[in-house]
């Protein structure tokens, strides 16, 4: 982990100020970016996450872009608020990470990184916060192998934030508030329940979650419900099982076993096994976003 932190620190800030040489393909409000090729993409309001998991190697990387929100007018305050809400509160990171600052073309970029415990695994959380022109944009990368550094670097170099001064409503921005609808890999959510079911129920039980992973099976149970089950990972024993209403038939019909998929549902908890054993992590009222 120290090796990873050392590598990232060598270009902690300058990436966000680089000029992209590759044509931008997608946008999130005022931010244009080039998505990592072949990675799983999940979206919600003003937030987009790209994830890649190598189950054979036991490595993973998640890059989350939080779209433009209102700046406080102080880059340091912008960074501290984003770091506390996105990293400290969620992953228990050091509240005072090593940081570096750079200014260019009217933007101030503050970057910082810290080791964290992510779903029971040691990982690094690395945050770049770009402030200027009344806006603040954050990019959070969570990874556990330096092999993902080139992808993170390419993503940062491919970013372009519109300089137009647009009034953005003040107050706690959506990306920096407590998030009720979580977005994560199916195996990561299962791992939460395997590690501590009581804590996981308090954190996720009865709440909406958008999960992605590799589909294991799609079928109709005896009650006529549509059931999609995600495959387990090398770090989990149980699978995530999602129940859909019949109104979602056409959406689920487009999915295939052994391929990546993203679904959203309400987390019920462990159950569904033979004789009511806790064999699966169950999500109800699911939909294909």
């Amino acid at each position: 982990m120290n090796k990873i932190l050392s590598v990232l620190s060598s270009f902690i800030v300058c990436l966000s100020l680089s000029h992209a040489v590759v044509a931008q393909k997608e946008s999130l409000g005022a931010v244009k970016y080039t998505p990592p090729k072949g990675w799983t993409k999940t979206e919600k309001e003003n937030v987009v996450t790209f994830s890649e998991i190598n189950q054979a190697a036991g490595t993973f990387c998640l890059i989350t872009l939080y779209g433009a929100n209102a700046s406080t007018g102080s880059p340091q305050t912008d960074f501290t608020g984003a770091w506390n809400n996105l990293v400290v509160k969620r992953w228990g990171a050091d509240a005072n990470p090593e940081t570096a600052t750079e200014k260019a073309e009217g933007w101030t970029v503050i970057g910082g990184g810290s080791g964290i415990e992510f779903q029971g695994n040691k990982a690094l959380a690395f945050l770049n916060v770009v402030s200027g022109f009344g806006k603040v944009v954050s990019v959070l990368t969570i990874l556990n192998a330096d092999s993902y550094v080139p992808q993170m670097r390419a993503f940062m170099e491919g970013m372009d934030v519109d300089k137009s001064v647009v009034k953005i409503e003040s107050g706690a921005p959506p990306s920096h508030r407590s998030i009720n609808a979580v977005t994560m890999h199916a195996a990561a959510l299962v791992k939460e329940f395997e590690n501590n079911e009581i804590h996981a129920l308090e954190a996720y039980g009865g709440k909406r979650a958008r999960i992605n992973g590799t589909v294991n099976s799609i079928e109709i149970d005896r009650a006529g419900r549509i059931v999609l089950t995600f495959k387990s990972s090398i770090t989990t024993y149980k699978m995530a099982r999602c129940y859909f209403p019949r109104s979602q038939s056409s959406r689920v019909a487009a999915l295939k076993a052994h391929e990546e998929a993203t679904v959203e549902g309400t987390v019920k908890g462990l159950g569904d096994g033979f004789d009511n054993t806790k064999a699966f992590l169950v999500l109800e009222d699911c939909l294909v976003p």
Side-chain angles (χ1 to χ4, degrees), residues 197-274:
E197 185 179 3
I198 303 301
H199 177 270
L201 280 172
E202 290 184 354
Y204 306 105
K207 299 178 181 179
R208 299 292 288 180
R210 181 171 291 191
I211 61 175
N212 63 282
T214 303
V215 177
N216 181 67
S217 64
I218 303 171
E219 57 190 354
I220 298 176
D221 68 5
R222 294 181 180 180
R225 297 177 297 177
I226 300 171
V227 186
L228 180 150
T229 302
F230 284 103
K231 291 185 177 182
S232 59
S233 73
I234 59 174
T235 61
T236 61
Y237 295 100
K238 299 176 176 63
M239 302 183 197
R241 174 171 282 183
C242 308
Y243 289 93
F244 298 80
R246 296 306 291 265
S247 60
Q248 285 285 306
S249 294
S250 61
R251 302 283 290 175
V252 178
L255 306 179
K256 296 181 181 180
H258 313 300
E259 293 187 0
E260 290 290 310
T262 298
V263 307
E264 181 180 309
T266 301
V267 180
K268 181 179 179 181
L270 299 178
D272 257 25
F274 179 75

Side-chain angles (χ1 to χ4, degrees), residues 38-237:
W39 288 34
T40 300
K41 177 182 179 181
T42 55
E43 298 178 273
K44 60 182 175 180
E45 184 181 1
N46 208 32
V47 181
V48 59
T49 298
F50 295 94
S51 60
E52 202 280 336
I53 298 177
N54 186 327
Q55 295 186 355
T59 60
F60 59 84
C61 181
L62 296 90
I63 300 175
T64 301
L65 169 63
Y66 297 86
N69 284 297
S71 171
T72 64
S74 165
Q76 184 59 56
T77 301
D78 287 343
F79 176 84
T80 299
W83 180 263
N84 286 337
N85 283 284
L86 300 177
V87 188
V88 177
K89 291 181 180 179
R90 300 185 70 181
W91 311 116
D94 184 351
N96 299 296
E98 176 185 355
T99 63
T101 302
E102 185 170 311
K103 297 181 180 181
E105 301 180 3
W107 298 107
T108 298
V109 185
I110 300 179
S114 173
I116 63 171
E117 287 289 331
F118 180 77
Q119 312 301 339
N121 300 291
K122 291 186 180 298
L124 175 76
F126 181 76
L127 182 70
N128 264 353
V129 177
V130 185
S131 300
F133 304 93
K135 306 181 183 74
V136 58
V137 174
S138 302
V139 179
L140 174 64
T141 302
I142 296 177
L143 71 168
N144 72 342
D146 56 10
S147 59
Y148 290 111
V149 169
Q151 289 93 328
M152 188 192 82
R153 183 168 193 161
F155 186 85
M156 297 302 301
E157 289 179 340
M159 280 179 50
D160 180 20
V161 185
D162 187 356
K163 290 184 177 181
S164 300
V165 180
V166 178
K167 182 178 179 180
I168 302 174
E169 293 184 7
S170 60
S175 59
H176 294 169
R177 289 198 298 255
S178 296
I179 301 172
N180 292 324
V182 298
T183 300
M184 60 201 305
H185 195 275
L189 185 56
V190 170
K191 190 68 174 178
E192 287 281 306
F193 279 83
E194 290 184 342
N195 285 340
N196 188 327
E197 185 179 3
I198 303 301
H199 177 270
L201 280 172
E202 290 184 354
Y204 306 105
K207 299 178 181 179
R208 299 292 288 180
R210 181 171 291 191
I211 61 175
N212 63 282
T214 303
V215 177
N216 181 67
S217 64
I218 303 171
E219 57 190 354
I220 298 176
D221 68 5
R222 294 181 180 180
R225 297 177 297 177
I226 300 171
V227 186
L228 180 150
T229 302
F230 284 103
K231 291 185 177 182
S232 59
S233 73
I234 59 174
T235 61
T236 61
Y237 295 100

